[in-house]
Amino acid sequence: MRRYQLTMIGLLFLAVTLSGCAAKETVGTGIPQVSKMETHPQDDRTLLYVNNNAPKQTYSKFIVEPVQIYEGADHGFGDISIEDRRMMAAFTHNEMMRVISEKYAIVDTPGPDTMRIKLILVGLEKTNTVMRGLTYGNPTGFAINVGKGVLGKEGYFMGSITLAGEFNDSQEGTVLAAFMGKIHPFALDISFSPWHAAKVGVTKLAMDFRDRIDKSHGI
């Protein structure tokens, strides 16, 4: 496999290696590039598209667009309010910029070494703080969460965030890759506030993305 393919698959593999990604659900059928997405070759719990015809390129600058909120009927928000959706969309945008900017430039204009990142918020689940506390502190519940963690599954009553992403060459407009996955922390993660788990998922997404960029530069 070409180095470029390995690099781009690496960028998207982060969606399922953070501490687990839930099984695919029928959501986000109106997401751009979703018709091209296929089951991840190394994990059947997420979808991705890699443009194998895109030119080889490494990137050191990034345009992070404001996170869109998916409005299709097959969203994964349930009864989550529009205010909370906007809050998490803003957090995702800011967190991606914060983490990436620790090592790389965040810019506003296209360039030869600049990647455009487009993220879409497709679904959210709050942590049920009361039930999470009960199952976490209960020996039986703790043991079950350990088992779920080993299998990479979502812990009982733990929140999550479902994101779709598209990575483009900013100058040519070429779609490099795209993914969609439901991200949650490790099943035993201490998550006793409603949005903690979803925010942890975003932070790990951003950090893993940055780590993959490091590897593409040989760092």
Side-chain angles (χ1 to χ4, degrees), residues 9-144:
I9 286 179
L11 293 178
L12 293 169
F13 189 61
L14 57 86
V16 293
T17 57
L18 303 180
S19 285
C21 177
K24 301 189 298 291
E25 298 179 5
T26 307
V27 297
T29 56
I31 295 294
Q33 311 303 329
V34 73
S35 62
K36 299 179 182 178
M37 293 182 193
E38 298 179 354
T39 302
H40 195 290
Q42 298 178 33
D43 195 305
D44 64 0
R45 295 171 297 176
T46 196
L47 299 173
L48 69 83
Y49 164 67
V50 177
N51 182 359
N52 294 321
N53 296 317
K56 296 180 181 179
Q57 175 71 41
T58 56
Y59 298 89
S60 58
K61 300 176 183 178
F62 299 87
I63 299 171
V64 183
E65 293 194 351
V67 177
Q68 300 178 35
I69 299 174
Y70 183 64
E71 297 181 350
D74 58 339
H75 62 71
F77 296 114
D79 60 356
I80 300 295
S81 70
I82 187 61
E83 289 78 12
D84 284 336
R85 300 178 201 183
R86 289 172 178 164
M87 178 273 295
M88 281 303 304
F91 174 84
T92 301
H93 178 245
N94 292 335
E95 189 70 350
M96 288 293 293
M97 290 198 299
R98 181 190 71 80
V99 173
I100 294 173
S101 67
E102 289 178 349
K103 289 189 175 182
Y104 300 97
I106 300 294
V107 298
D108 297 322
T109 57
D113 60 347
T114 303
M115 178 188 291
R116 186 184 299 275
I117 301 172
K118 301 178 181 180
L119 294 177
I120 301 175
L121 181 62
V122 182
L124 286 170
E125 290 179 319
K126 289 184 181 180
T127 294
N128 185 322
T129 56
V130 174
M131 296 305 297
R132 178 68 181 168
L134 291 174
T135 58
Y136 195 92
N138 180 283
T140 300
F142 185 83
I144 292 174

Side-chain angles (χ1 to χ4, degrees), residues 6 40 70 78 82 95 139 150 165 169 172 175:
L6 284 169
H40 195 290
Y70 183 64
I82 187 61
E95 189 70 350
V150 169
D169 182 282
E172 301 297 329
V175 177

Side-chain angles (χ1 to χ4, degrees), residues 1-11 42 50 212:
M1 183 177 289
R2 293 181 302 170
R3 179 182 176 184
Y4 176 79
Q5 291 174 289
L6 284 169
T7 299
M8 291 315 302
I9 286 179
L11 293 178
Q42 298 178 33
V50 177
R212 299 293 175 173

